[in-house]
Amino acid sequence: EVQLVESGGGLVQPGGSLRLSCAASGFTFSGYWMHWVRQDPGKGLVWVSRIITDGSRTSYADSVKGRFTISRDNAKNTLYLQMNSLRVEDTAVYYCARDRGNYYGHGAFDIWGQGTMVTVSS
Amino acid sequence: DIQMTQSPSSLSASVGDRVTITCQASQDINNYLNWYQQKPGKAPKLLIYDASDLETGVPSRFSGSASGTDFTFTISSLQPEDIATYYCQQYENLPFTFGQGTKLQIK
């Protein structure tokens, strides 16, 4: 079964750090671009970051640039999001998502994890 | 950033009704437009990609179309299991952006 499972969310104080993980199974992880998308409680979807197959190129939303780092370990079939200098407005459910394109990015997210909640509060 | 204006924000319809949701892009996105369904407490699910292509396994009552910067998502005959929030998303330019969502309820 094709699956993404996120972990690492939790409660953190403003200015703190968290690392989210996304474990992939059921498909050739190294062949797909991957994304992080977040959803504020009760609100809409916001794209956060993208990484290509070999990890050599990454992209970020302006709201997280310089604070968040996306990375991947293809040997472990795992995607990461290192979040530093967290702000109250980063509070959201964070989803990892697979890009529909095989080896080349497409821009549609065809497989999603279940999401992990990040709460930034003092 | 490309703005995606989705309407309506909510709508109520009866089982069997034809339902239409629209999304307007702030600039030409070359039909690089996807539609997702999100049920409460669940992750979004890709329904339509490239404005009108049906994702594998998605029922044929779902469809999408495009006209310039205007995009339409249609459910031809509403089923009870279609109750969800629907989002459009453009991927012409980074940052990828979503519409505000349309919450669909049964009348």
Side-chain angles (χ1 to χ4, degrees):
Chain A
E1 180 191 3
V2 174
Q3 198 173 5
L4 297 171
V5 178
E6 300 99 337
S7 60
L11 174 63
V12 62
Q13 292 188 336
S17 298
L18 274 179
R19 188 175 85 154
L20 306 183
S21 299
C22 170
S25 59
F27 65 99
T28 305
F29 178 71
S30 60
Y32 289 87
W33 296 25
M34 296 294 295
H35 302 261
W36 288 97
V37 177
R38 71 185 184 187
Q39 186 167 32
D40 294 356
K43 299 276 184 71
L45 299 163
V46 177
W47 174 82
V48 172
S49 183
R50 178 188 75 183
I51 188 167
I52 70 169
T53 51
D54 65 359
S56 63
R57 272 200 297 138
T58 58
S59 302
Y60 299 92
D62 284 348
S63 59
V64 306
K65 202 172 295 182
R67 300 187 298 122
F68 290 12
T69 302
I70 190 172
S71 62
R72 64 192 298 161
D73 185 335
N74 287 340
K76 294 183 178 179
N77 292 332
T78 302
L79 175 72
Y80 301 101
L81 186 67
Q82 177 66 44
M83 304 186 296
N84 298 331
S85 303
L86 281 161
R87 304 168 180 168
V88 170
E89 55 265 34
D90 294 319
T91 295
V93 174
Y94 284 75
Y95 295 100
C96 60
R98 188 181 81 170
D99 192 294
R100 193 179 186 280
N102 193 10
Y103 288 99
Y104 297 99
H106 174 275
F109 312 136
D110 66 343
I111 304 295
W112 295 65
Q114 84 286 357
T116 187
M117 182 71 204
V118 171
T119 302
V120 184
S121 174
S122 55
Chain B
D1 297 1
I2 296 175
Q3 307 303 313
M4 304 302 296
T5 303
Q6 190 174 337
S7 62
S9 57
S10 65
L11 79 97
S12 184
S14 300
V15 172
D17 282 355
R18 183 180 183 87
V19 170
T20 298
I21 298 168
T22 63
C23 202
Q24 183 176 61
S26 59
Q27 65 187 70
D28 183 13
I29 59 171
N30 293 300
N31 289 353
Y32 293 152
L33 190 284
N34 307 312
W35 289 96
Y36 299 88
Q37 175 193 66
Q38 186 178 32
K39 296 184 178 181
K42 299 293 187 181
K45 175 186 176 182
L46 177 65
L47 300 179
I48 303 284
Y49 63 96
D50 295 351
S52 59
D53 290 341
L54 196 66
E55 177 70 344
T56 304
V58 174
S60 59
R61 65 179 180 275
F62 297 102
S63 65
S65 64
S67 178
T69 59
D70 295 325
F71 300 86
T72 301
F73 171 81
T74 300
I75 307 173
S76 61
S77 177
L78 185 66
Q79 299 302 303
E81 60 267 30
D82 299 337
I83 297 314
T85 300
Y86 293 84
Y87 295 93
C88 62
Q89 174 239 331
Q90 67 80 22
Y91 59 100
E92 162 68 11
N93 283 343
L94 287 174
F96 297 152
T97 48
F98 292 84
Q100 307 95 311
T102 296
K103 187 173 184 178
L104 178 56
Q105 296 172 304
I106 292 285
K107 195 181 290 183

